[in-house]
Amino acid sequence: PKAPVPPPPFAPSETSNIWPGAAPDETSDRGSEYMLVERRRPFYQIANVSTPTLSVYLPDKSKATDASILVIPGGGLVRLAIEHEGYEVAKWFADRGVAAFMLKYRVPGVGRETRWKKGLQDAQRAMSIIRSRASEWNIDPNGVGAIGFSAGGEIGTRLALLKDGE
């Protein structure tokens, strides 16, 4: 069963699409993203993501450091565990003075062997945006970290090791 995607449990400072126009290699309309319901776990997950976004969680100025992190939720590259591996993690970092950027990347990717590529493209684009707007967000553009969970960890590792989606 499917349900509409609820708003984030913690409101970000801003959320924006990371690609101007359609994302790379998005050639067909998959329909709307949706929340998976009747899951065994007490958190929500979303699927059918074709428009990647970046949600910004800035710390209170009194706690702010110049540290920042890209948060990449898991979900087996077929869904995103966006609540507890995304929004909650971003808020946790922001509460501790670290600017957090939660990536909602495209899932599912096409083809079992290469479905991570769209997520990697989205992570690369998100990192570029974060670094290009670093002065606006009062962060060090050379000190942006990344944390990923499960499939998000795979994307984060590829982000650190590969250039241009190799």
Side-chain angles (χ1 to χ4, degrees):
K2 303 174 184 178
V5 176
F10 311 104
S13 304
E14 68 179 89
T15 297
S16 59
N17 293 350
I18 64 171
W19 296 102
D25 303 322
E26 285 299 324
T27 57
S28 63
D29 182 14
R30 290 193 241 175
S32 300
E33 54 189 62
Y34 56 88
M35 180 177 71
L36 299 167
V37 296
E38 299 181 12
R39 303 286 297 170
R40 293 181 305 198
R41 298 180 175 108
F43 52 84
Y44 72 83
Q45 298 178 30
I46 62 172
N48 212 36
V49 177
S50 60
T51 303
T53 62
L54 191 64
S55 294
V56 180
Y57 289 84
L58 298 176
D60 182 88
K61 289 182 182 189
S62 66
K63 294 181 180 181
T65 65
D66 66 352
S68 60
I69 193 156
L70 176 63
V71 178
I72 311 168
L77 300 172
V78 295
R79 65 190 158 278
L80 296 180
I82 201 165
E83 183 181 25
H84 75 294
E85 294 178 1
Y87 298 123
E88 290 180 8
V89 174
K91 183 176 183 326
W92 186 90
F93 276 106
D95 287 348
R96 285 152 182 81
V98 177
F101 302 90
M102 203 286 300
L103 176 63
K104 182 175 76 172
Y105 58 94
R106 291 174 285 165
V107 290
V110 177
R112 186 161 183 79
E113 296 301 315
T114 59
R115 61 184 178 190
W116 53 268
K117 283 189 175 185
K118 288 185 179 185
L120 175 59
Q121 287 176 326
D122 297 343
Q124 289 169 328
R125 175 73 176 169
M127 191 63 77
S128 175
I129 291 168
I130 294 165
R131 288 183 173 142
S132 72
R133 295 182 62 189
S135 63
E136 176 185 341
W137 290 321
N138 297 312
I139 60 172
D140 176 2
N142 297 313
V144 184
I147 185 171
F149 300 85
S150 190
E154 176 185 1
I155 290 171
T157 300
R158 291 179 187 272
L159 176 65
L161 298 176
L162 301 179
K163 290 175 61 175
D164 302 323
E166 296 171 335

